[in-house]
């Protein structure tokens, strides 16, 4: 039987401390970091995606940053393909690949035996759905989705036409539900140490609010305005939290204060969804990072866990 490649994965909600932890882990195991964030692939979207700066990398190679123009799509199937190639390349160099990020479905697509349909989009089917929505028949679309994929329907607002159509299209093309994801006991394709960072919710929300304030103070408004002024709309990149709220301000629908408060609220909600997803869908070993004075001890525990799980020695 072919030996599985070794892989370290560090997941958790936004603002929990994944970047700092991953640098230490990479130094301990001769690691190279692969971003597991669906939006950090986009060039110029640095502040809003909390992208690591070159001066923070400590000489650790980082992959999947700035590989796409903001106008380009980047699907979970694209991510799966590129990351698996990177894992092969990094392993061939004698280093350990480390996926770090919070986009659960993207990370899971690499670890587990996900298959993505090769069929081209059914343009006529999509246009028919769009026509029905324009005719005010969105409720019908929601009822149809609820009939074939109730779990996804529960997580989509009945008036969110874009997501309704996408979910119906996936089912139409593949026969799979959008909610079809791996069970927590699924067998990973790699010899994986899967680590999750968590934190007391009130402390995490405090960190999120502070992070948004720092983003605003370091130029997020200017960054988002750059894309707005370029006319970048209706594409995947600017649907990211941090940009879509400020677009509402630029459009005159919200005051700046309202947009920033909405950004904080949406980020907190996203963090909650991230935690729920990882706990329900993946076999994660969790480490609580609430107590900052215990961070060093937690990271030492993480390093020991990885060494034992993957049967490798650390450099410390």
């Amino acid at each position: 039987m072919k030996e599985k490649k070794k892989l370290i994965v560090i997941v958790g909600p936004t603002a929990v401390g994944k970047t700092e932890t991953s640098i230490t882990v990479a130094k301990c195991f001769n690691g190279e970091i692969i971003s597991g964030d669906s939006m950090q692939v986009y060039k110029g979207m640095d502040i809003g995606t909390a992208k690591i700066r070159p001066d923070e990398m400590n000489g650790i190679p980082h992959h999947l940053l700035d590989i796409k123009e903001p106008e380009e799509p980047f699907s979970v199937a694209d991510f799966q393909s590129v990351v698996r190639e990177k894992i092969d390349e990094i392993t061939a160099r004698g280093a350990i690949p480390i996926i770090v990020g919070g986009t659960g479905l993207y990370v899971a697509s690499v670890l587990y035996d996900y298959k993505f349909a090769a069929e081209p989009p059914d343009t006529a089917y999509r246009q028919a759905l769009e026509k029905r929505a324009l005719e005010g028949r969105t409720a019908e679309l929601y009822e149809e989705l609820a009939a074939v994929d109730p779990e996804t329907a529960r997580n989509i607002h009945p008036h969110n036409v874009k997501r309704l159509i996408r979910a119906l299209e996936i089912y139409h093309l593949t026969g799979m539900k959008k909610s079809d994801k791996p069970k927590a006991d699924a067998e990973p394709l790699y010899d994986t140490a899967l680590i999750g960072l968590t934190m007391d919710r009130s402390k995490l929300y405090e960190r999120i609010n502070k992070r948004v304030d720092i983003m605003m103070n370091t130029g997020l408004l200017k960054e988002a305005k750059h894309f707005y002024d370029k006319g970048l709309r209706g594409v995947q990149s600017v649907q990211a939290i941090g940009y879509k709220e400020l677009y509402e301000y630029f459009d005159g629908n919200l005051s700046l204060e309202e947009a920033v408060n909405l950004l904080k609220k949406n980020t907190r909600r996203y963090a909650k969804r991230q935690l729920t997803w990882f706990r329900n869908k993946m076999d994660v070993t969790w480490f609580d990072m609430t107590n900052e004075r215990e961070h060093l001890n937690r990271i030492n525990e993480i390093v020991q866990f990885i060494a034992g799980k993957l049967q490798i020695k650390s450099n410390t």
Side-chain angles (χ1 to χ4, degrees):
M1 185 176 172
K2 190 177 178 182
E3 187 178 351
K4 291 181 177 180
K5 295 180 176 72
K6 297 186 186 298
L7 176 66
I8 299 168
V9 181
I10 301 174
V11 299
T14 187
V16 78
K18 296 185 295 294
T19 299
E20 175 193 352
T21 302
S22 67
I23 293 291
T24 305
V25 168
K27 284 181 171 293
C28 288
F29 294 107
N30 185 30
E32 297 188 22
I33 293 172
I34 301 170
S35 170
D37 185 290
S38 62
M39 292 296 168
Q40 291 186 352
V41 297
Y42 290 113
K43 296 175 184 176
M45 299 183 69
D46 303 328
I47 300 170
T49 65
K51 196 179 293 176
I52 188 169
R53 300 190 308 270
D55 62 295
E56 296 174 318
M57 292 180 183
N58 275 310
I60 302 296
H62 280 68
H63 305 276
L64 261 72
L65 302 176
D66 303 323
I67 63 169
K68 288 283 180 182
E69 297 295 337
E71 298 83 1
E72 297 180 280
F74 189 69
S75 70
V76 62
D78 295 331
F79 179 86
Q80 180 193 65
S81 174
V82 174
V83 171
R84 286 182 177 171
E85 284 178 15
K86 287 294 177 187
I87 289 171
D88 291 346
E89 290 171 14
I90 293 165
T91 304
R93 285 195 285 272
I96 301 286
I98 307 171
I99 299 177
V100 181
T103 308
L105 182 60
Y106 280 56
V107 175
S109 76
V110 175
L111 297 189
Y112 303 103
D113 190 19
Y114 265 51
K115 298 288 195 299
F116 293 101
E119 297 96 329
D122 186 336
T123 306
Y125 179 76
R126 170 172 283 204
Q127 288 175 346
L129 295 181
E130 290 172 345
K131 182 173 182 289
R132 289 167 65 192
L134 287 170
E135 291 169 352
R137 298 161 62 192
T138 306
E140 287 180 16
L141 300 182
Y142 186 81
E143 287 170 10
E144 286 175 23
L145 180 61
V148 297
D149 188 356
E151 183 180 343
T152 296
R154 280 195 297 272
N155 292 317
I156 295 179
H157 191 281
H159 295 155
N160 191 327
V161 174
K162 184 178 178 181
R163 291 186 65 196
L164 285 174
I165 289 175
R166 182 61 189 142
L168 284 166
E169 189 178 34
I170 288 171
Y171 186 78
H172 171 72
L173 288 170
T174 69
M176 289 178 62
K177 303 171 187 176
K178 192 172 185 290
S179 58
D180 284 341
K181 301 183 182 88
K183 305 297 183 189
D185 59 356
E187 182 70 23
L189 301 177
Y190 301 93
D191 183 7
T192 307
L194 180 50
I195 293 126
L197 307 184
T198 186
M199 184 175 283
D200 172 78
R201 184 169 293 178
S202 61
K203 178 71 178 289
L204 180 65
Y205 287 0
E206 180 185 312
R207 284 169 63 96
I208 287 169
N209 292 340
K210 184 178 179 182
R211 174 185 272 194
V212 171
D213 288 337
I214 291 170
M215 286 176 169
M216 291 302 296
N217 289 334
T218 53
L220 177 57
L221 188 67
K222 183 179 178 182
E223 185 174 278
K225 189 66 160 59
H226 167 73
F227 295 118
Y228 182 85
D229 288 345
K230 280 180 66 177
L232 200 64
R233 284 180 175 269
V235 294
Q236 182 177 331
S237 59
V238 294
Q239 297 304 312
I241 296 171
Y243 300 93
K244 62 182 180 180
E245 295 85 1
L246 292 177
Y247 267 48
E248 288 293 304
Y249 163 63
F250 301 141
D251 282 341
N253 298 327
L254 297 175
S255 69
L256 183 57
E257 182 181 3
E258 287 170 336
V260 171
N261 286 336
L262 182 60
L263 168 48
K264 290 177 179 178
K265 181 179 179 180
N266 286 344
T267 308
R268 294 192 300 267
R269 285 179 170 175
Y270 178 57
K272 185 179 177 183
R273 291 198 304 273
Q274 286 175 300
L275 279 167
T276 300
W277 202 97
F278 287 121
R279 284 177 174 147
N280 290 342
K281 304 297 182 182
M282 298 172 76
D283 185 16
V284 178
T285 299
W286 292 96
F287 294 85
D288 193 310
M289 309 300 283
T290 303
N291 189 337
E292 291 184 12
R293 287 175 294 185
E294 291 290 319
H295 269 202
L296 191 56
N297 289 340
R298 289 292 88 75
I299 291 175
N300 286 337
E301 289 172 12
I302 290 168
V303 168
Q304 290 171 15
F305 170 78
I306 292 168
K309 185 77 168 60
L310 300 183
Q311 295 296 293
I312 53 178
K313 291 183 178 178
S314 72
N315 300 327
T316 56

